[in-house]
Amino acid sequence: MDGARLPTTAPILILLGPPGAGKGTQARMLEEQFGLVQLSTGDLLRAAVAAGTEAGKAADAVMKAGGLVSDDIVLAVLTDRLADPDCAKGVVLDGFPRTTAQAEALDQMLHARGQAIMAVVSLDVDTVKMVLRVAGRYTCGSCGEGYHEDFKPSKVAEICDVCGAQDMTRRADDNAETAMSRLDAYQISTAPLIEYYAKQGALKRVDAMGPINDIGRSIANIVRTG
Ligand code: AMP
C-alpha cells in the first residue's frame, strides 16, 4: 500500500479519456492503491436509472443512445455523492467532467471549498480502436473483473476466472453503434477539456495503449508527486 505517501490534503484526481481508454480500470486500481474513492458519474447515473429516480428516468434514453446527460442532472448526482463522508479521503473522478460547463462548475465548487484539483490525467489512446474495445466488454457482477469477447474472454463461458461466479453483466451501451455515438460525444464535448486543463497547468498525459500495469505505474507516480 502506498497510501502513506499521499499529499495530506484530500486529493482530487480527474481521469480524462474516451470510452474504452481504461478510466474505470485505472480508477479502481487507484482506489485500491491509495484509498481514493472512485467517483464514476456513469455508475451514479446507472444506479439512478436502476432505482427509477427522476434523474434516472431523464437519463435513461440519452445513455442508451450514447449521448451526454444534461449538465444539471450530472452535477446533481455528483454533488450528492461528493457530500458522503468517505469522499473526504480524496476522489478519482472517472467520466466527469465531460463538458466545459461541468469543468467550470467543478472549478467553482472546489474554489468555494478552498480545494484544488491535484492533477488531470489524460489517458491518450487511439480513439478508433476504442470502439472495438468497448463493443464486447463485459464484467463479473460479483467481483468486478473485466472481460472482452475477443481480447480477453473468460476461460469458461459466463464463469468468472477470478471468483468463479456466474454473474457476467453487459452494459446496454457497450455495443458498436452506441460506442460510435459515445466517441462522437467525447470528440465534440470532452476532448476540448484537454486544452482547458492544459491552460490551468493541471494536465498530465499518459500513453494508455500499453499494458494496464504500466499505465497504472505512470498514474501512481503522478499521484505520489502531486
Ligand atoms: P460511462 O460509464 O462513463 O461510460 O458513462 C456512461 C454514459 O453515462 C455516458 O455515455 C453518458 O450518457 C452518461 N454520462 C456519464 N457521465 C457523464 C457526464 N459527466 N456528463 C454527461 N453524461 C454522462
Side-chain angles (χ1 to χ4, degrees), residues 30-31 101 109 113-114 126 133 180 182 186 218 222:
L30 288 163
E31 190 165 57
M109 193 193 304
R113 298 169 175 213
D126 176 342
R133 253 200 213 176
M180 291 287 284
R182 289 161 65 197
Y186 172 81
S218 303
I222 293 170

Side-chain angles (χ1 to χ4, degrees), residues 17-20 23-24 40-46 59-71 73-75 77-78 94-99 102 134 137 171 173-174 178 181-183 185 190:
K23 299 185 296 296
S40 151
T41 41
D43 284 349
L44 294 173
L45 291 167
R46 277 184 288 279
D60 194 19
V62 181
M63 292 172 76
K64 285 201 178 105
L68 289 184
V69 174
S70 78
D71 293 329
I73 291 178
V74 174
L75 283 164
V77 295
L78 182 81
D94 153 14
F96 179 93
R98 261 176 158 98
T99 64
Q102 291 177 15
V134 168
R137 281 200 301 203
R171 277 174 47 172
D173 58 352
D174 275 351
T178 312
S181 306
R182 289 161 65 197
L183 205 56
T190 313

Side-chain angles (χ1 to χ4, degrees), residues 150-164:
D150 300 318
F151 309 131
K152 188 191 163 192
S154 58
K155 290 192 185 94
V156 181
E158 298 304 315
I159 295 183
C160 179
D161 297 351
V162 175
C163 74

